[in-house]
Amino acid sequence: MIPIQNLYYLLCYAWNRLPEQQELLAAEADTFHRPLELLAHVLLMGTRRLLRQGLAVAYAEREEELTELRGRVQLAPSLSRDLLRRGRALCVYDELGFQTPFNQLLLGTLQQLSRSRALPTALRHELKVTQRRFPVGLLPLPLSSELLRTVHRLRPTGLQSFLLNVCELVYHSALPEPNANGRLRFRDFRRDEQLMARLFEQFVRNFYRLEQHEFRVLSETIRWQATTATPEALNLLPAMITDTTLEAPHRKIILDTKYYAAALRPRYDQQKLISPHLYQLYAYLQNQPTIPGQALEGVLLYPAASQALDVRYTLGGYPVRIVTLNLAQPWQGIAAALLELIA
């Protein structure tokens, strides 16, 4: 389990954003007992900053009975309601305003969090106060997978993108399915191994993107070094997509992250490395095209839980390192360990 104090760093890097100094100081000063408190705190501070900058506006379609023609006249409904005889018409027009899916999602998330008994009273009060700073008439929408997909399709950037990720993590932490009426129960998302595996992978990749300048950082697809009689047969081979590739003219590192409780498994009363993980990394290395002057190596990175591990091998002529990262240590130690890994 990652200490809550380190979650803010992990989430910021996972979402490709350097931690904000003001939020960082506040997060380190407060004692959070649940991850939900941290999420609510980060969402609250980010929302306040967004409100100071100004909420984005967009055109939204409105349908209204008017005494003056505006936009497109809906003739059939106007006739069926006998509006024209009374000097009115049903019109559809675009209006510039704050009624955007992102603004509605953000306000709806704040509203749902302010009702949660899992949060301290003072924090719930701050959430309610911040809601009153939103434009009058803005309709909050409850968290839902459909709404999240709609906002994602709009491709928000910067602070909006960061707050969208916070809202999405709140949604995935909610039990039962979020709805607009009842209070929500929340689970500790650190217990969701699939979610944490995805965050851990994104955290490591984006940390290297933001904190070093020697390597180009990417996730790449490796082609199988295979031949066959028919092209169709090649399409049956599974895709090889790296978690993180760090590439420079003289050196290339294929780094695979594995969010597991331990880097070793018992087998016949002995501790052994997890074979599928090692086979996968070995396949990546063996199928990597060679570039003259570029050294190739592989790394398997696990979060340290029950024990620390750091072993090195040469497999198929390539250096391979299996190592754990202690996520319970102070952040400065985590950052230093990640940079040392590629030194």
Side-chain angles (χ1 to χ4, degrees), residues 195-246:
L195 174 62
M196 289 305 301
R198 187 166 65 251
L199 288 173
F200 184 55
E201 174 191 330
Q202 294 170 343
F203 155 65
V204 172
R205 181 168 57 246
N206 289 331
F207 175 87
Y208 286 125
R209 278 180 177 155
L210 295 168
E211 297 295 351
Q212 61 79 44
H213 304 287
E214 179 183 357
F215 296 93
R216 183 170 69 102
V217 181
L218 67 153
S219 174
E220 65 170 336
T221 300
I222 300 174
R223 291 180 174 272
W224 288 89
Q225 301 299 310
T227 58
T228 181
T230 62
E232 292 77 12
L234 285 177
N235 295 331
L236 300 177
L237 292 171
M240 291 191 292
I241 304 174
T242 64
D243 291 345
T244 301
T245 297
L246 298 105

Side-chain angles (χ1 to χ4, degrees), residues 51-309:
L51 289 169
R52 287 195 297 269
Q53 296 174 3
L55 292 176
V57 295
Y59 283 99
E61 188 177 86
R62 290 193 61 182
E63 185 177 272
E64 191 177 4
E65 290 184 12
L66 300 175
T67 56
E68 296 180 354
L69 297 183
R70 182 179 179 185
R72 304 186 306 277
V73 177
Q74 304 298 96
L75 187 58
S78 297
L79 291 172
S80 64
R81 300 180 194 179
D82 197 24
L83 297 178
L84 299 179
R85 190 172 59 83
R86 292 181 282 145
R88 304 175 67 84
L90 184 65
C91 301
V92 175
Y93 60 93
D94 293 328
E95 184 176 60
L96 186 65
F98 295 100
Q99 210 78 244
T100 70
F102 174 81
N103 293 341
Q104 293 174 298
L105 169 68
L106 184 59
L107 181 57
T109 305
L110 292 170
Q111 188 179 84
Q112 290 184 313
L113 285 174
S114 67
R115 297 171 179 168
S116 173
R117 294 176 179 172
L119 295 177
T121 303
L123 183 53
R124 295 206 309 269
H125 174 72
E126 291 298 319
L127 290 166
K128 292 175 182 177
V129 169
T130 302
Q131 291 173 51
R132 293 197 286 268
R133 294 176 56 187
F134 279 76
V136 176
L138 178 61
L139 177 66
L141 293 179
L143 278 166
S144 68
S145 58
E146 181 180 356
L147 179 58
L148 287 166
R149 284 195 298 270
T150 297
V151 179
H152 271 294
R153 284 195 293 268
L154 298 175
R155 298 184 180 277
T157 59
L159 182 57
Q160 283 193 358
S161 175
F162 179 78
L163 293 175
L164 172 59
N165 284 320
V166 178
C167 293
E168 189 167 20
L169 194 50
V170 170
Y171 170 77
H172 287 302
S173 303
L175 293 173
E177 195 75 5
N179 59 70
N181 300 319
R183 286 191 174 93
L184 304 179
R185 293 184 296 116
F186 292 89
R187 60 188 172 90
D188 188 337
F189 65 84
R190 293 175 298 174
R191 300 185 184 279
D192 186 330
E193 290 188 0
Q194 288 187 339
L195 174 62
M196 289 305 301
R198 187 166 65 251
L199 288 173
F200 184 55
E201 174 191 330
Q202 294 170 343
F203 155 65
V204 172
R205 181 168 57 246
N206 289 331
F207 175 87
Y208 286 125
R209 278 180 177 155
L210 295 168
E211 297 295 351
Q212 61 79 44
H213 304 287
E214 179 183 357
F215 296 93
R216 183 170 69 102
V217 181
L218 67 153
S219 174
E220 65 170 336
T221 300
I222 300 174
R223 291 180 174 272
W224 288 89
Q225 301 299 310
T227 58
T228 181
T230 62
E232 292 77 12
L234 285 177
N235 295 331
L236 300 177
L237 292 171
M240 291 191 292
I241 304 174
T242 64
D243 291 345
T244 301
T245 297
L246 298 105
E247 187 170 24
H250 66 288
R251 188 181 177 199
K252 186 171 187 176
I253 306 170
I254 296 178
L255 192 155
D256 225 29
T257 54
K258 301 296 182 185
Y259 195 83
Y260 277 66
L264 300 174
R265 282 181 178 171
R267 183 174 176 82
Y268 302 122
D269 299 326
Q270 289 185 334
Q271 293 292 313
K272 297 288 185 180
L273 293 169
I274 303 174
S275 55
H277 300 171
L278 201 57
Y279 296 156
Q280 182 184 31
L281 182 61
Y282 185 69
Y284 289 169
L285 295 171
Q286 290 297 315
N287 288 276
Q288 187 72 213
T290 57
I291 298 177
Q294 186 184 67
L296 179 64
E297 59 192 272
V299 175
L300 276 178
L301 180 64
Y302 296 83
S306 56
Q307 64 184 118
L309 181 71

